Amino acid sequence: MNLTLIVIVVIILTSIALNKLSSKMGVPVLLLFIILGIFLGWNDTRMMEQYQVVETTCSTALIFIIFYGGFGTKWSTARPVIRESAFLATFGVLVTAALTGLFCHFALKWGWIESMLMGSVVSSTDAASVFSILRSHKMGLKNNTAPMLEIESGSNDPCSYLLTVIMISLLKNEAVGFAIVWKIFAQLAFGLLLGALIAQGTVWLLRRVRLPEGFSSLFFVAVALLSYALPSMIGGNGYLSAYIVGIILGNTNLRDRKEMVSFFDGITSFTQILIFCLLGVMAIPGNLMKAIVPALLIFAFLTLIARPASIFAILAPFKRFEAPQMGFISFVGLRGAASIVFAIMTLNPDVPLANDIFSIVFCIVLISMSLQGSLIPSAAKAFNMIDSSVDVMKTFNDFSEAESVSFGVLNIKENDKWKGKVIKDLLLPKDVQITMILREGSKIVPRGNTEIKTGDKVVICSRAFSNDNDTNLIEHPVSNNSQWIGTAVKDYPYKGDSILVMIRRGDEHIIPNGNTVIQRGDILFILNGEL
């Protein structure tokens, strides 16, 4: 057990280091975890007795990835392209799977069902890989391309899963005729219906019951798992349900919604790392060598023919998409976590296969992330899709808009320069606004001719501070024997870029100026630097 814990610690620390390295290299960090998994599981025999554990682990991990794919989708941004994205996530997957299956049958001489299984497994795209690259390069895209990619990639996994399940059932002779029709109906109907019911029930409950502090995260984990398990028990598409629940909850005004973004961002990052590590661990080096040629052929066909054909066939009739945009959308269809999970499903000993689909998918994902992933910035430039005025972060429902402003209060004293002035005469910066005045227990909505008086509390609004540099706020108590007792703030010996932003004196919080005197027992709040 101790060794296992040490390995987990090493993986976590390595993930942090590789994440920074990934940003500099311009490739998804998950690619590096495939390589790490290979080293962790380097062997020539696959432990089939561990298949069930691995399959369950990866399938559960995918629940959180798909749930957060919906939870993180900003509906206001997605609405203009929801129709096109829905077509890509359904018919696009069908066309891609069918064309890839035809290639495997006629070019590689595979059996019909196994060919279509291969196409089904690799028919969905990976949003996390694409947007990790767009985020790291702060790359905004023209014409609502980023929201379209986000919706398509986040919602096409359920369709790919449906096709994969059907093909596996056919290989196992478990579904014929009406049974296939019923499976398709049940997957879609129960997935959509129960997803909507679970989401609405969750909203109803959260608006009437306040969860104990610290239990919100656990509650949402339970909801995510329930959204998959309940439909799956009656033949529904659990992944479709999880996505529906995620997108409804993510776009509903609920308590603790902001905290859930950070929580699930961490959970999904870890689950993606887990899936990609297991991909490497389950790989057999000898089989990978045999799989590299068919993988290269399938990858080339998938990237150059199957996906472009599906994108152009679906988007061209809308007439508002130009060829460069459709070409770029075609290119960024990376294969990732979902393809891995569906490929692991084919390792089931009960699935009779003539070809090693798992090893081939391993190579396809590796090639897709390393080659396609590294070329996305160049492709965006080549297709003239970069728009520097677009913030790619606003594609996500990370609630940055709700946190983009900050409020403060100014206490107007007898000798204050604002005393006696009307608001329209104040020289306020363009990003600062007076939102309210508190006067003798009353709230005043300010107008241009509102006069500021002694004793007023003026509430101001400005843009919230955020940057990518290390910024720390530290507390420094003033001890009884400190040599700085009685010293004015302007004479305090700061180091580096430090600045004293507040003094706590008993129950009082003081915003200091240069003449404020430090007293015994004060707690100094110093921003960004050393003492």
Side-chain angles (χ1 to χ4, degrees):
M1 177 179 177
N2 291 334
L3 180 59
T4 302
L5 292 176
I6 291 174
V7 171
I8 293 174
V9 170
V10 170
I11 291 176
I12 293 174
L13 294 178
T14 304
S15 70
I16 297 172
L18 291 182
N19 189 54
K20 289 188 173 292
L21 178 62
S22 170
S23 299
K24 295 179 180 179
M25 293 172 60
V27 298
V29 66
L30 298 176
L31 169 64
L32 304 178
F33 280 99
I34 296 179
I35 300 171
L36 177 61
I38 294 175
F39 282 104
L40 290 176
W42 187 270
N43 57 66
D44 288 321
T45 58
R46 185 183 292 135
M47 298 175 61
M48 293 308 302
E49 63 272 15
Q50 300 298 322
Y51 156 76
Q52 192 62 51
V53 174
V54 172
E55 196 273 338
T56 301
T57 301
C58 289
S59 296
T60 303
L62 188 59
I63 295 171
F64 292 106
I65 294 172
I66 293 177
F67 175 83
Y68 187 57
F71 196 86
T73 297
K74 185 180 295 184
W75 184 250
S76 60
T77 305
R79 187 184 294 111
V81 292
I82 190 64
R83 180 179 55 175
E84 296 89 338
S85 301
F87 277 115
L88 290 179
T90 51
F91 295 110
V93 169
L94 291 172
V95 173
T96 301
L99 291 177
T100 305
L102 289 172
F103 175 79
C104 291
H105 178 71
F106 288 106
L108 303 182
K109 307 302 179 183
W110 289 14
W112 271 112
I113 299 178
E114 195 164 330
S115 296
M116 292 301 167
L117 175 60
M118 182 73 227
S120 301
V121 168
V122 296
S123 58
S124 66
T125 55
D126 189 76
S129 302
V130 173
F131 280 94
S132 68
I133 296 172
L134 296 180
R135 283 183 167 191
S136 64
H137 287 82
K138 295 181 174 60
M139 190 183 302
L141 301 175
K142 296 179 179 178
N143 196 22
N144 285 325
T145 301
M148 185 180 299
L149 291 173
E150 170 70 3
I151 294 289
E152 182 214 1
S153 299
S155 61
N156 61 13
D157 295 336
C159 187
S160 179
Y161 172 74
L162 170 61
L163 295 176
T164 300
V165 168
I166 290 174
M167 294 306 155
I168 289 178
S169 298
L170 289 173
L171 280 172
K172 296 167 65 176
N173 294 317
E174 293 179 350
V176 292
F178 179 75
I180 296 179
V181 176
W182 171 254
K183 183 179 285 290
I184 295 174
F185 171 80
Q187 284 269 310
L188 297 177
F190 295 152
L192 287 169
L193 177 61
L194 288 179
L197 289 176
I198 292 171
Q200 293 302 325
T202 302
V203 172
W204 180 88
L205 182 64
L206 289 176
R207 285 180 172 170
R208 287 162 177 79
V209 178
R210 188 172 186 87
L211 298 173
E213 187 173 352
F215 280 80
S216 296
S217 300
L218 289 176
F219 177 79
F220 273 83
V221 167
V223 169
L225 294 176
L226 180 67
S227 68
Y228 173 85
L230 194 57
S232 297
M233 288 179 63
I234 58 175
N237 192 317
Y239 293 123
L240 176 59
S241 173
Y243 184 78
I244 296 297
V245 173
I247 200 168
I248 292 175
L249 295 184
N251 290 274
T252 302
N253 188 19
L254 300 171
R255 290 188 295 265
D256 302 325
R257 191 177 61 170
K258 298 176 186 177
E259 289 75 7
M260 290 305 100
V261 171
S262 299
F263 174 76
F264 275 104
D265 198 39
I267 288 290
T268 53
S269 295
F270 177 75
T271 53
Q272 287 166 346
I273 288 169
L274 181 64
I275 289 175
F276 278 74
C277 273
L278 287 174
L279 173 64
V281 169
M282 293 293 287
I284 299 175
N287 289 358
L288 296 181
M289 298 303 295
K290 299 176 185 178
I292 189 66
V293 172
L296 281 170
L297 293 173
I298 294 172
F299 170 77
F301 181 85
L302 183 64
T303 306
L304 302 177
I305 298 178
R307 178 163 171 83
S310 66
I311 297 299
F312 277 79
I314 291 171
L315 295 184
F318 288 103
K319 302 195 182 296
R320 66 186 183 91
F321 297 97
E322 297 181 354
Q325 183 181 12
M326 292 187 286
F328 180 73
I329 293 173
S330 301
F331 182 82
V332 297
L334 301 187
R335 312 298 136 172
S339 295
I340 294 170
V341 175
F342 302 153
I344 291 176
M345 292 170 59
T346 68
L347 294 177
N348 189 329
D350 296 331
V351 180
L353 294 176
N355 299 279
D356 188 356
I357 288 181
F358 174 82
S359 297
I360 293 172
V361 171
F362 177 100
C363 294
I364 289 174
V365 171
L366 197 65
I367 297 167
S368 178
M369 290 202 164
S370 58
L371 183 60
Q372 269 183 289
S374 61
L375 291 177
I376 284 179
S378 300
K381 294 179 182 178
F383 286 107
N384 192 29
M385 286 301 300
I386 298 177
D387 187 347
S388 57
S389 65
V390 174
D391 184 2
V392 69
M393 299 305 296
K394 290 186 177 180
T395 303
F396 305 97
N397 205 3
D398 55 7
F399 313 108
S400 57
E401 288 183 353
E403 298 177 326
S404 61
V405 295
S406 179
F407 292 92
V409 61
L410 301 176
N411 294 309
I412 305 301
K413 299 181 180 179
E414 185 65 33
N415 58 349
D416 200 291
K417 294 181 180 179
W418 281 15
K419 176 197 168 185
K421 290 188 176 181
V422 295
I423 290 178
K424 65 182 180 181
D425 293 335
L426 299 176
L427 298 177
L428 295 174
K430 65 176 183 178
D431 291 332
V432 176
Q433 182 180 28
I434 296 177
T435 59
M436 185 169 57
I437 296 176
L438 303 178
R439 180 179 296 163
E440 296 179 351
S442 300
K443 296 179 181 179
I444 299 174
V445 178
R447 299 288 185 266
N449 59 356
T450 301
E451 181 182 350
I452 297 176
K453 299 181 179 180
T454 302
D456 284 352
K457 291 185 176 181
V458 180
V459 180
I460 62 173
C461 173
S462 65
R463 292 184 182 275
F465 170 77
S466 64
N467 71 350
D468 296 327
N469 301 319
D470 292 332
T471 303
N472 303 307
L473 183 66
I474 60 175
E475 297 182 27
H476 177 59
V478 178
S479 61
N480 291 334
N481 58 354
S482 173
Q483 61 178 315
W484 304 112
I485 295 175
T487 303
V489 166
K490 63 183 178 182
D491 298 323
Y492 190 82
Y494 305 106
K495 293 183 180 180
D497 296 326
S498 303
I499 183 172
L500 178 60
V501 295
M502 188 177 71
I503 298 176
R504 181 189 296 162
R505 183 172 295 161
D507 295 330
E508 185 180 7
H509 294 79
I510 301 171
I511 305 300
N513 57 40
N515 295 321
T516 303
V517 176
I518 298 172
Q519 298 181 11
R520 181 181 288 105
D522 283 352
I523 297 179
L524 311 181
F525 289 81
I526 299 176
L527 182 68
N528 198 37
E530 305 176 45
L531 292 171

